Amino acid sequence: MPGAERALRRQTAGVAWHLVLSVVTLAMIAPVLWGILTSFKPANEIYSLSPFSAHPTLEHYAHAISEWPVAQLIGNTFVMAAGVAIGQLLIAVLGAFALAYFAPSARGLILTLLTISLAIPPQALIIPQFLLTAKLGWLNSDLGLIVPQLGASALAVLLLLQHVDALPPSLLNAARLDGARPLEVLWSIVLPALRPAIAAVTILVFITTWNDYLWPLLVAPRQIDTTVQIGLRQFETAEGTNFGGLLAAATLTSLPILVVYLVASRRITDAFLQSGIK
Amino acid sequence: MTTSTIAGDIQLVGLTKKYGASTALNALDLHIPAGSLTVIVGPSGCGKSTLLRVLSGLETATDGELLIGGLPVAGQDAGDRDVAMVFQDYALYPHMTVAANLSFGLRLQARHDRRGGPSKAEIAQRVAQVGGLLGLDKLLHRRPAELSGGQRQRVALGRAIIRRPGVLLLDEPLSALDSQLRASARGEILRLHREIGATLVLVTHDQHEALSMATHLVVMDAGAVAQSGTPEELFHAPATEFVATFVGSPAMNLQPEGDGRVGWRASDARISMADAAGATTPDGLVVEGTTETCEFTGDGQQVTVRTGERVGERGERVDDRSGDRSGDRTFIITQREGERWLRVGDPVRAVIPPSQLHHFDRNGLRRNA
């Protein structure tokens, strides 16, 4: 029977596909899991190949909490990530709305430029950006961590523009005929319709910024002003790397992001699916 | 040209709208009388929707003059004109309740003009009034997604009339409704027109709808007005062949005459069986043939015999023969011969009195206008 054969083939393909996905997932979470497990091992077992420790310990956590400014660093990182996310969101909402609502004649050109800016590696801009930030006296400050990163809002603008463009034009026209001024159209009609997209873009930018390494390393190298990602370097010393402390601190500082994930996992999945990025 | 300052009076002079190289409206002249229910009808692409958008202020004319209530509105933004619009897809604000949809414009007015704008009590009172007028009283707290198509349309109508505009524009208001709802919605619009006294400008591609609703009918073709006037004028004295074939159903029959053409309506033809009618010499145009060469159709109780087949008892034409209406000898007549129903292949003749003939010259313009 061809029907049964086809069903069987489809089933086999499904099983094979899930097998591939399982292997990939395992490969992705294995290092994380290994790191977490290792953070519970005493120093003399750090290099052992057994995943579980014979004498699990919390000494690295105690060390990380007492010797390392964990709250301060998480606070700094949060301020930076939230500041960049909110700032980029403001730019993206206003930019996307203006491009869609006023449809300027240079719209095509602007979109091309925004897309080109995505292709420029951030590393290529980092020296002039650093010099400018230094000249402004923003080194080792939240301003220095946040403001220069708002220049990279092109992706957020393009993502939101897709959503504004997808709104029925008659909806915006109806508001205009009802006497709404442009900002009132934005506030009363566009923003409520865009709420899911805005949430997605915010989360996307927040997580990307939280994990950023290069910019905070340059702008805020001092231990007390810097972010979690840079702060972890402190466990690499001239005498070698304190892997236990490093992994304990990394685990601790992953917790806030983990909480964000758990609370908004659905939104995050949507955000990444919609943006076509991972 | 007389300019009046009556609210709701619309005057268009040489109005042109171009999109790049293409011309949507071509030096269009039109007067829409205050308080009329003006229906603009035409084939798709004739510019009727563009005209509506220019009237509303959503589009700016490339050239020409537009007066609403006797005053030029060129510089006025859409929201500042005395004009409201019902969109084809209704465009209800999805996250607002029916009451919030209705009051949105008034609330903006109150915010923009704290002294002259309506008070909270007045807004509530007008929402209640419009809700009552359109039978939306019990739906005020619902959201658009929870409404049926007909209810959504009534909300869209309500949102448009709550600001008491002098001009109400309706873009294909019935096209999104199924045929049952269409009749009641049509009645609703007519009733609304009587009650609010505004000028209604309704765009449609359905000439049935146009003839049945309009007090003032405008036929558009290729970005210009082909003819405007009362529906009777357009039906009985079409200015061009285009208007003649576009207005009325079944469409006017046309056949060659000299260097132009002559047209006649099926309803004006006196039909008889050909063999019985030879005795008298008729005065007027005589069309002879069999039911295979003549096409018969009808309405109401009348018999329908069409080329090669009989169509139902009601005899609505189901096919679109517009392509071969002009040159060949397919005619549309709506009569029957006494008690006997015509059958396919019957010889028949139709006599059309001279007064009912429409003569067009080679350019399709009416000769005896």
Side-chain angles (χ1 to χ4, degrees), chain A residues 178-237:
Chain A
D178 262 342
R181 289 163 190 168
L183 280 178
E184 288 168 335
V185 177
L186 172 63
W187 184 256
S188 305
I189 310 298
V190 175
L191 281 186
L194 246 53
R195 220 176 295 161
I198 287 173
V201 171
T202 314
I203 292 166
L204 197 69
V205 177
F206 184 88
I207 291 176
T208 314
T209 315
W210 181 279
N211 290 328
D212 196 19
Y213 186 80
L214 186 55
W215 185 250
L217 173 66
L218 287 174
V219 176
R222 274 209 323 244
Q223 193 208 4
I224 202 69
D225 311 314
T226 200
T227 65
V228 163
Q229 316 301 337
I230 315 305
L232 288 174
R233 275 195 323 157
Q234 204 203 323
F235 294 96
E236 295 174 15
T237 59

Side-chain angles (χ1 to χ4, degrees), chain B residues 205-223:
Chain B
H205 62 266
D206 181 344
Q207 58 89 24
H208 251 302
E209 212 170 287
L211 272 180
S212 68
M213 296 176 77
T215 65
H216 190 78
L217 185 57
V218 179
V219 175
M220 280 185 69
D221 183 28

Side-chain angles (χ1 to χ4, degrees), chain A:
Chain A
M1 279 207 307
E5 203 175 286
R6 205 177 314 137
L8 187 69
R9 201 181 311 154
R10 201 180 313 140
Q11 233 168 22
T12 319
V15 169
W17 183 231
H18 275 92
L19 218 63
V20 171
L21 287 178
S22 307
V23 171
V24 171
T25 311
L26 208 66
M28 283 168 82
I29 63 166
V32 180
L33 222 56
W34 190 265
I36 293 174
L37 289 170
T38 306
S39 70
F40 291 105
K41 291 179 184 173
N44 58 351
E45 280 182 40
I46 289 279
Y47 296 101
S48 119
L49 285 179
S50 147
F52 298 102
S53 165
H55 314 283
T57 171
L58 287 172
E59 65 177 88
H60 301 306
Y61 285 88
H63 175 74
I65 289 168
S66 60
E67 302 294 310
W68 198 62
V70 60
Q72 172 82 30
L73 291 179
I74 287 180
N76 288 346
T77 317
F78 183 84
V79 167
M80 174 182 78
V84 172
I86 291 169
Q88 286 207 13
L89 194 71
L90 269 173
I91 293 170
V93 164
L94 290 173
F97 176 70
L99 284 171
Y101 188 72
F102 300 108
S105 46
R107 181 184 146 120
L109 180 69
I110 294 171
L111 291 187
T112 311
L113 291 176
L114 284 176
T115 314
I116 289 175
S117 81
L118 291 180
I120 302 173
Q123 291 82 354
L125 301 173
I126 216 143
I127 291 173
Q129 267 185 343
F130 174 77
L131 292 176
L132 189 62
T133 310
K135 227 167 218 162
L136 287 166
W138 287 355
L139 292 184
N140 296 309
S141 77
D142 286 331
L143 275 179
L145 281 172
I146 293 168
V147 177
Q149 298 205 58
L150 301 183
S153 302
L155 183 64
V157 174
L158 292 173
L159 285 178
L160 281 190
L161 180 61
Q162 282 180 10
H163 287 94
V164 185
D165 276 345
L167 294 175
S170 58
L171 203 60
L172 306 187
N173 286 334
R176 212 174 126 194
L177 276 171
D178 262 342
R181 289 163 190 168
L183 280 178
E184 288 168 335
V185 177
L186 172 63
W187 184 256
S188 305
I189 310 298
V190 175
L191 281 186
L194 246 53
R195 220 176 295 161
I198 287 173
V201 171
T202 314
I203 292 166
L204 197 69
V205 177
F206 184 88
I207 291 176
T208 314
T209 315
W210 181 279
N211 290 328
D212 196 19
Y213 186 80
L214 186 55
W215 185 250
L217 173 66
L218 287 174
V219 176
R222 274 209 323 244
Q223 193 208 4
I224 202 69
D225 311 314
T226 200
T227 65
V228 163
Q229 316 301 337
I230 315 305
L232 288 174
R233 275 195 323 157
Q234 204 203 323
F235 294 96
E236 295 174 15
T237 59
E239 296 95 61
T241 302
N242 174 1
F243 276 114
L246 178 68
L247 290 171
T251 305
L252 278 179
T253 53
S254 302
L255 288 178
I257 281 281
L258 197 68
V259 170
V260 174
Y261 259 110
L262 289 178
V263 170
S265 63
R266 181 75 233 166
R267 285 266 156 85
I268 293 169
T269 317
D270 288 348
F272 283 98
L273 286 180
Q274 283 171 2
S275 64
I277 299 165
K278 26 176 214 167

